[in-house]
Amino acid sequence: MTKKILVVDDSATARMLLNICLQGHDGYTLLQAGSWEEGLKLAKQEAFVLIILDYNMPDKVGPELAALMREEGVIAPFALMSANTQDHVMEEIEALGFIDVVEKPVTAEAVQSLLDKIS
C-alpha cells in the first residue's frame, strides 16, 4: 500500500525539489498543493502519513493551516518547511506538536530524517 505525503507550498520549485528528494523511497507518493485552500481540500479527502506545510504562504502561515486542518478533522503528523528557523518559529511549531522543521532548500538527508520519524 502506498503511503501518501502531502506538501502545501506556494513555491512550485520547493514542491519539485521535495518530490525529487523523495524519489527512490519506494512506497511513498507525494501529493502537492500550491495554496492553503487546495491543501485543506486534499487533506480532508485523503489519508496522509505526513503533511508538510510551508511557513510563509499567501493568507496563511503553516501553523495556522495545521490548526485549521485539525479543526476540520485531519489526523496526520505535521512538519514545517521553511527558510525561517528563528527561535520564535521553532517554539511555535513545537507547541503545536509538529514533528520537525525542514530548512529550505530541502535536502535528501532532511527528507530521510522525516521518513525515519514517521516509520
Side-chain angles (χ1 to χ4, degrees):
M1 184 169 134
T2 300
K3 297 175 186 174
K4 295 177 185 171
I5 297 173
L6 174 62
V7 60
V8 183
D9 194 318
D10 59 309
S11 167
T13 302
R15 295 191 313 269
M16 179 185 66
L17 187 54
L18 182 61
N19 193 39
I20 289 168
C21 289
L22 193 60
Q23 291 176 0
H25 294 279
D26 292 336
Y28 291 95
T29 299
L30 184 68
L31 278 72
Q32 302 179 34
S35 68
W36 72 266
E37 297 97 340
E38 184 182 2
L40 178 60
K41 182 179 177 182
L42 280 171
K44 290 168 49 176
Q45 292 174 345
E46 303 276 347
F48 292 98
V49 297
L50 177 64
I51 298 175
I52 304 169
L53 304 173
D54 182 25
Y55 184 77
N56 282 317
M57 291 182 285
D59 301 323
K60 289 219 184 303
V61 293
E64 290 174 326
L65 180 54
L68 181 57
M69 286 180 173
R70 287 181 177 146
E71 287 173 15
E72 295 286 330
V74 174
I75 300 171
F78 289 93
L80 191 71
M81 190 163 59
S82 179
N84 181 3
T85 55
Q86 297 173 2
D87 288 343
H88 76 279
V89 172
M90 301 300 283
E91 291 168 5
E92 179 182 17
I93 62 132
E94 187 176 307
L96 289 170
F98 279 62
I99 64 167
D100 205 354
V101 174
V102 177
E103 286 191 62
K104 287 183 177 180
V106 67
T107 63
E109 293 81 14
V111 169
Q112 183 61 56
S113 176
L114 275 177
L115 296 179
D116 289 345
K117 290 179 180 182
I118 62 169
S119 55

